[in-house]
Amino acid sequence: MFDRLNFPQPWLSLLLFVIWQFLSDGVSGASVVLGLFLAWLIPQITQGFWPQRPAFIHPWRMPAYLTRVLMDIIVASVSVARLILSPRAPRPMFVCYPLELEHPLAISILASTISLTPGTVSADVSDDNKTLLIHALDAQSEQEVIDAIKTRYEKPLLEMFK
C-alpha cells in the first residue's frame, strides 16, 4: 500500500506522523491531515539523502539494543564522574577499531553509539569503511576497547542488518 502512495521511507513516514500527533494540541481532523501530508512530504524532499533503504533483517532487536545503550550511558556517566573526581590520572588512547559492519547506516549507528557513551568518541571512519578511529578516555589496552565494542554494540548491529 505504501509503495503505491510513493512513500520512499514508510517507517520514517510513520514515525513522523506519530511524532506530529504527539506535538500537536490534541488529535483533530486538521492535525491528522497535516500530519499525513508532512509524513509524505518530508521523505519526498529528503529522498536524495537516502541512497539505499536500510537493510534491517531483524528490526525487532532494536529496542533491546537501545535499552543496552541507555544503560551503558548511565553506567559510563557514573564511571567518568568517578574518574574525574578521583586523584588517579586517566589513561587516554586512540584505538583503530576494525569494522565488520558494511552497511553505511549500521556504521553510523555504531559510531553514534560510541560517541553517545561517555568516555568514548568516534573520531573518524576510514575511506574504505573498514576502520573506525575511537578515542577512549580511560582504557587498559586497545584490545579491551575493541572487545567491549564488538560484543556490546557491533554484534547486535550485525544481527539487525544484512
Side-chain angles (χ1 to χ4, degrees):
M1 176 181 146
F2 282 120
D3 288 336
R4 287 184 286 163
L5 296 174
N6 197 15
F7 280 84
Q9 297 291 331
W11 290 107
L12 175 62
S13 294
L14 179 64
L15 180 67
L16 288 170
F17 177 75
V18 169
I19 289 172
W20 180 258
Q21 293 308 309
F22 279 120
L23 292 176
S24 63
D25 188 26
V27 177
S28 66
S31 73
V32 169
V33 169
L34 186 58
L36 288 172
F37 178 71
L38 290 173
W40 173 81
L41 180 67
I42 292 172
Q44 296 293 330
I45 293 171
T46 62
Q47 191 170 3
F49 299 113
W50 299 86
Q52 30 178 288
R53 290 186 178 212
F56 278 119
I57 54 174
H58 299 296
W60 58 86
R61 293 186 179 184
M62 186 59 86
Y65 179 79
L66 292 174
T67 302
R68 170 177 280 171
V69 170
L70 288 173
M71 293 304 297
D72 286 352
I73 288 171
I74 293 168
V75 170
S77 296
V78 172
S79 297
V80 168
R82 263 195 213 144
L83 178 66
I84 290 170
L85 296 173
S86 75
R88 183 177 74 82
R91 296 173 299 263
M93 71 172 54
F94 279 97
V95 176
C96 290
Y97 181 82
L99 288 167
E100 288 182 48
L101 294 167
E102 295 177 1
H103 194 278
L105 179 62
I107 293 171
S108 294
I109 291 172
L110 177 64
S112 297
T113 300
I114 291 167
S115 293
L116 281 171
T117 308
T120 54
V121 175
S122 56
D124 193 20
V125 180
S126 64
D127 291 337
D128 61 357
N129 288 338
K130 299 289 183 195
T131 306
L132 185 63
L133 181 64
I134 300 167
H135 180 268
L137 177 65
D138 188 45
Q140 299 289 332
S141 70
E142 188 172 322
Q143 194 60 44
E144 173 196 29
V145 175
I146 291 171
D147 292 343
I149 291 171
K150 191 163 293 294
T151 57
R152 296 200 62 79
Y153 305 128
E154 190 175 29
K155 184 180 173 193
L157 286 171
L158 280 168
E159 294 171 356
M160 283 187 266
F161 288 88
K162 289 183 184 177

PDB file of all heavy atoms in Angstrom, residues 83-84 86-93 136-139:
ATOM      1  N   LEU A  83      35.993   8.906  37.734  1.00  0.00           N
ATOM      2  CA  LEU A  83      37.348   9.110  37.224  1.00  0.00           C
ATOM      3  C   LEU A  83      37.773  10.565  37.353  1.00  0.00           C
ATOM      4  O   LEU A  83      38.895  10.872  37.764  1.00  0.00           O
ATOM      5  CB  LEU A  83      37.434   8.672  35.755  1.00  0.00           C
ATOM      6  CG  LEU A  83      38.770   8.866  35.069  1.00  0.00           C
ATOM      7  CD1 LEU A  83      39.828   7.970  35.697  1.00  0.00           C
ATOM      8  CD2 LEU A  83      38.648   8.587  33.592  1.00  0.00           C
ATOM      9  N   ILE A  84      36.866  11.462  37.028  1.00  0.00           N
ATOM     10  CA  ILE A  84      37.182  12.888  37.108  1.00  0.00           C
ATOM     11  C   ILE A  84      37.406  13.329  38.551  1.00  0.00           C
ATOM     12  O   ILE A  84      38.287  14.141  38.834  1.00  0.00           O
ATOM     13  CB  ILE A  84      36.057  13.710  36.448  1.00  0.00           C
ATOM     14  CG1 ILE A  84      36.077  13.482  34.946  1.00  0.00           C
ATOM     15  CG2 ILE A  84      36.185  15.184  36.764  1.00  0.00           C
ATOM     16  CD1 ILE A  84      34.879  14.042  34.217  1.00  0.00           C
ATOM     17  N   SER A  86      38.405  11.411  41.047  1.00  0.00           N
ATOM     18  CA  SER A  86      39.469  10.675  41.730  1.00  0.00           C
ATOM     19  C   SER A  86      40.829  11.306  41.421  1.00  0.00           C
ATOM     20  O   SER A  86      40.995  11.993  40.419  1.00  0.00           O
ATOM     21  CB  SER A  86      39.462   9.209  41.289  1.00  0.00           C
ATOM     22  OG  SER A  86      39.996   9.094  39.989  1.00  0.00           O
ATOM     23  N   PRO A  87      41.790  11.042  42.270  1.00  0.00           N
ATOM     24  CA  PRO A  87      43.130  11.591  42.013  1.00  0.00           C
ATOM     25  C   PRO A  87      43.880  10.840  40.906  1.00  0.00           C
ATOM     26  O   PRO A  87      44.876  11.329  40.397  1.00  0.00           O
ATOM     27  CB  PRO A  87      43.840  11.437  43.366  1.00  0.00           C
ATOM     28  CG  PRO A  87      43.125  10.331  44.050  1.00  0.00           C
ATOM     29  CD  PRO A  87      41.704  10.384  43.560  1.00  0.00           C
ATOM     30  N   ARG A  88      43.402   9.677  40.547  1.00  0.00           N
ATOM     31  CA  ARG A  88      44.070   8.868  39.511  1.00  0.00           C
ATOM     32  C   ARG A  88      43.943   9.547  38.145  1.00  0.00           C
ATOM     33  O   ARG A  88      42.867  10.015  37.772  1.00  0.00           O
ATOM     34  CB  ARG A  88      43.422   7.482  39.445  1.00  0.00           C
ATOM     35  CG  ARG A  88      44.087   6.541  38.457  1.00  0.00           C
ATOM     36  CD  ARG A  88      43.459   5.166  38.472  1.00  0.00           C
ATOM     37  NE  ARG A  88      42.156   5.110  37.839  1.00  0.00           N
ATOM     38  CZ  ARG A  88      41.962   5.007  36.526  1.00  0.00           C
ATOM     39  NH1 ARG A  88      42.971   5.008  35.693  1.00  0.00           N
ATOM     40  NH2 ARG A  88      40.737   4.927  36.044  1.00  0.00           N
ATOM     41  N   ALA A  89      45.015   9.563  37.413  1.00  0.00           N
ATOM     42  CA  ALA A  89      45.002  10.159  36.068  1.00  0.00           C
ATOM     43  C   ALA A  89      44.425   9.154  35.070  1.00  0.00           C
ATOM     44  O   ALA A  89      44.721   7.957  35.142  1.00  0.00           O
ATOM     45  CB  ALA A  89      46.412  10.544  35.648  1.00  0.00           C
ATOM     46  N   PRO A  90      43.609   9.614  34.152  1.00  0.00           N
ATOM     47  CA  PRO A  90      43.065   8.700  33.146  1.00  0.00           C
ATOM     48  C   PRO A  90      44.149   8.229  32.177  1.00  0.00           C
ATOM     49  O   PRO A  90      45.214   8.846  32.063  1.00  0.00           O
ATOM     50  CB  PRO A  90      42.013   9.548  32.425  1.00  0.00           C
ATOM     51  CG  PRO A  90      42.389  10.952  32.686  1.00  0.00           C
ATOM     52  CD  PRO A  90      43.119  10.970  33.996  1.00  0.00           C
ATOM     53  N   ARG A  91      43.879   7.124  31.522  1.00  0.00           N
ATOM     54  CA  ARG A  91      44.795   6.567  30.526  1.00  0.00           C
ATOM     55  C   ARG A  91      44.132   6.670  29.147  1.00  0.00           C
ATOM     56  O   ARG A  91      43.557   5.696  28.652  1.00  0.00           O
ATOM     57  CB  ARG A  91      45.112   5.117  30.856  1.00  0.00           C
ATOM     58  CG  ARG A  91      45.859   4.938  32.167  1.00  0.00           C
ATOM     59  CD  ARG A  91      46.018   3.484  32.540  1.00  0.00           C
ATOM     60  NE  ARG A  91      44.731   2.837  32.725  1.00  0.00           N
ATOM     61  CZ  ARG A  91      44.130   2.642  33.895  1.00  0.00           C
ATOM     62  NH1 ARG A  91      44.688   3.061  34.991  1.00  0.00           N
ATOM     63  NH2 ARG A  91      42.971   2.046  33.972  1.00  0.00           N
ATOM     64  N   PRO A  92      44.182   7.855  28.529  1.00  0.00           N
ATOM     65  CA  PRO A  92      43.527   8.021  27.229  1.00  0.00           C
ATOM     66  C   PRO A  92      44.312   7.330  26.112  1.00  0.00           C
ATOM     67  O   PRO A  92      45.531   7.175  26.196  1.00  0.00           O
ATOM     68  CB  PRO A  92      43.524   9.536  27.027  1.00  0.00           C
ATOM     69  CG  PRO A  92      44.673  10.032  27.823  1.00  0.00           C
ATOM     70  CD  PRO A  92      44.813   9.083  28.978  1.00  0.00           C
ATOM     71  N   MET A  93      43.596   6.921  25.084  1.00  0.00           N
ATOM     72  CA  MET A  93      44.256   6.323  23.915  1.00  0.00           C
ATOM     73  C   MET A  93      43.336   6.367  22.711  1.00  0.00           C
ATOM     74  O   MET A  93      42.111   6.402  22.843  1.00  0.00           O
ATOM     75  CB  MET A  93      44.714   4.900  24.204  1.00  0.00           C
ATOM     76  CG  MET A  93      43.610   3.858  24.326  1.00  0.00           C
ATOM     77  SD  MET A  93      44.183   2.149  24.435  1.00  0.00           S
ATOM     78  CE  MET A  93      45.317   2.184  25.773  1.00  0.00           C
ATOM     79  N   ALA A 136      39.335   6.752  23.490  1.00  0.00           N
ATOM     80  CA  ALA A 136      38.844   6.281  24.787  1.00  0.00           C
ATOM     81  C   ALA A 136      39.506   7.112  25.883  1.00  0.00           C
ATOM     82  O   ALA A 136      40.731   7.295  25.872  1.00  0.00           O
ATOM     83  CB  ALA A 136      39.165   4.805  24.975  1.00  0.00           C
ATOM     84  N   LEU A 137      38.711   7.621  26.790  1.00  0.00           N
ATOM     85  CA  LEU A 137      39.224   8.458  27.872  1.00  0.00           C
ATOM     86  C   LEU A 137      40.091   7.668  28.842  1.00  0.00           C
ATOM     87  O   LEU A 137      41.121   8.148  29.306  1.00  0.00           O
ATOM     88  CB  LEU A 137      38.060   9.106  28.636  1.00  0.00           C
ATOM     89  CG  LEU A 137      38.413   9.951  29.841  1.00  0.00           C
ATOM     90  CD1 LEU A 137      39.214  11.174  29.400  1.00  0.00           C
ATOM     91  CD2 LEU A 137      37.159  10.381  30.575  1.00  0.00           C
ATOM     92  N   ASP A 138      39.699   6.443  29.144  1.00  0.00           N
ATOM     93  CA  ASP A 138      40.423   5.634  30.111  1.00  0.00           C
ATOM     94  C   ASP A 138      40.318   4.174  29.692  1.00  0.00           C
ATOM     95  O   ASP A 138      39.232   3.589  29.743  1.00  0.00           O
ATOM     96  CB  ASP A 138      39.834   5.835  31.513  1.00  0.00           C
ATOM     97  CG  ASP A 138      40.668   5.176  32.588  1.00  0.00           C
ATOM     98  OD1 ASP A 138      41.909   5.317  32.540  1.00  0.00           O
ATOM     99  OD2 ASP A 138      40.087   4.527  33.468  1.00  0.00           O
ATOM    100  N   ALA A 139      41.438   3.606  29.269  1.00  0.00           N
ATOM    101  CA  ALA A 139      41.419   2.215  28.809  1.00  0.00           C
ATOM    102  C   ALA A 139      42.709   1.521  29.216  1.00  0.00           C
ATOM    103  O   ALA A 139      43.783   2.125  29.236  1.00  0.00           O
ATOM    104  CB  ALA A 139      41.255   2.168  27.297  1.00  0.00           C
TER     105      ALA A 139
END
